[in-house]
Amino acid sequence: MLHSTKIISASLTVAYLALMVSCGEKPQNEDHYFQYIAKESDSIVPFSFQGDIQCLKANIFISDENLYIGLPYYIDTLQDENQIVQKKVGTILFNPVDYGINIDTASYQFIVKDMIAKDENHVYAYPKGLFKLPFIQVLDLNPAHTIVLDHEATYLRDDSLVYCFPTNTYLDVKAKDFEVIYIQHVPFGKYHSILYYWDEPQELPTTSEWNR
């Protein structure tokens, strides 16, 4: 039995692994900032502001004494007539107050580079949504006890929950009995005799097939 997490943007279908640009890297088109027309909208418009926009840390920006979460805005472009590549055209800014989020900037940090962050109060995920537009997700994980279980950031665990990032769901398992194994270098979740690919249970392979 799976239950979905709280999604802070209106019913967006999730794709896997948003690619972010943090303050430590100089992004292209860094002066192009956008915002959603409304919190429940997928339509964006240029961001309206009076003063400068500065990156405070990670993907936290400040403008006119207000804090914003910045997430990159990508579009698909055709390259070499037969290859579609993603091009960053700017940054979408979210006012965390509008989403009921109070970020503690002193403790805020990425625990999975550009994809999952935490502060002393919450764990935050930044997947992509419909049309590849990003959104914000506050996880039910305890930031003090949250660990990443595999190098692909497929699974996160605290002392009571196991969260699957690609599908934005929690597994109905006891966290202490859940582990990750690698089969042909692909991470799978293992819970007793059940094997998970993302949040889907699979048949458990023989020990000789495991590539730890």
Side-chain angles (χ1 to χ4, degrees), residues 49-69:
F49 58 95
Q50 301 298 320
D52 294 333
I53 297 178
Q54 296 181 337
C55 188
L56 183 63
K57 65 187 300 187
N59 62 331
I60 302 299
F61 293 77
I62 187 168
S63 178
D64 300 328
E65 299 184 354
N66 294 315
L67 286 177
Y68 295 92
I69 297 172

Side-chain angles (χ1 to χ4, degrees), residues 91-127:
T91 300
I92 298 178
L93 297 179
F94 300 79
N95 187 333
V97 175
D98 294 340
Y99 296 84
I101 300 172
N102 183 19
I103 292 178
D104 179 74
T105 57
S107 59
Y108 184 91
Q109 61 180 312
F110 279 121
I111 57 175
V112 176
K113 182 174 172 53
D114 302 330
M115 294 187 294
I116 301 173
K118 72 173 183 177
D119 60 17
E120 65 176 13
N121 301 311
H122 299 290
V123 179
Y124 309 95
Y126 302 117

Side-chain angles (χ1 to χ4, degrees), residues 29-35 45-49 53-55 61 89-93:
N29 304 310
E30 62 182 345
D31 57 338
H32 295 170
Y33 296 99
F34 302 90
Q35 64 188 37
V45 294
F47 181 77
S48 58
F49 58 95
I53 297 178
Q54 296 181 337
C55 188
F61 293 77
V89 295
T91 300
I92 298 178
L93 297 179

